[in-house]
Amino acid sequence: MVIDSYPFQRRVTELLLSGRNVILQAPTGAGKTTAALLPFQRAREQGLDFPRRCIYAVPMRVLANQFVADYADVAPDIRIQTSEHPDDRCFEADITFATIDQVLSSFLLSPYSLSRAQANLNLGAIAASYLVFDEFHLFD
């Protein structure tokens, strides 16, 4: 699937694919999620130098569940990693929609989803991924 885009989404894509970081603020329903996923999708389609995996962190499980359903056709392997649905314990999917606690615990070498002996696996996955932190204002 090719995501249709608005000018601001194309600008976000241009900035991210050129190696810049982006903080995007827009009203609810404006297309921020699409803006975040579009560069990932374009890079995959065009074979560009960009992380091969996306970890998309949200503050609530309900958002992770919704995004998995809404964006199921953006990449071949889309999974969810929450306490209710630990479907991608090692962040191996093309896109993983996860709650912020899952991402942060993994980054801090204390993943909820893995044993202590495997704790470093997720840190590597996070360090090598395209990271999106959605609904940033809701994070503590």
Side-chain angles (χ1 to χ4, degrees):
M1 171 186 147
V2 174
I3 300 174
D4 292 328
S5 59
Y6 294 109
F8 84 91
Q9 294 166 330
R10 291 189 292 275
R11 179 70 176 140
V12 166
T13 298
E14 175 186 314
L15 289 169
L16 287 169
L17 292 178
S18 71
R20 306 277 306 272
N21 293 322
V22 173
I23 296 175
L24 175 62
Q25 181 179 354
T28 300
K32 294 181 296 290
T33 304
T34 297
L37 292 174
L38 186 59
F40 180 76
Q41 183 187 37
R42 292 276 161 82
R44 288 177 62 86
E45 290 171 353
Q46 298 172 16
L48 303 176
D49 183 22
F50 200 74
R52 299 190 59 194
R53 290 187 172 80
C54 173
I55 298 175
Y56 198 108
V58 294
M60 298 175 287
R61 293 179 297 206
V62 67
L63 289 174
N65 293 330
Q66 174 189 332
F67 289 159
V68 165
D70 290 350
Y71 293 93
D73 54 356
V74 171
D77 185 13
I78 296 179
R79 297 186 224 165
I80 190 168
Q81 179 60 34
T82 65
S83 58
E84 284 181 332
H85 300 286
D87 300 338
D88 195 12
R89 296 173 193 273
C90 294
F91 295 106
E92 296 174 306
D94 296 330
I95 301 174
T96 302
F97 290 101
T99 50
I100 188 65
D101 62 313
Q102 295 285 329
V103 176
L104 287 179
S105 68
S106 290
F107 183 76
L108 296 172
L109 296 173
S110 297
Y112 301 140
S113 58
L114 298 174
S115 70
R116 297 193 103 214
Q118 297 176 312
N120 62 333
L121 295 176
N122 283 2
L123 175 58
I126 290 169
S129 293
Y130 168 51
L131 302 175
V132 177
F133 294 92
D134 200 349
E135 300 293 339
F136 194 77
H137 61 285
L138 296 177
F139 296 153
D140 287 339

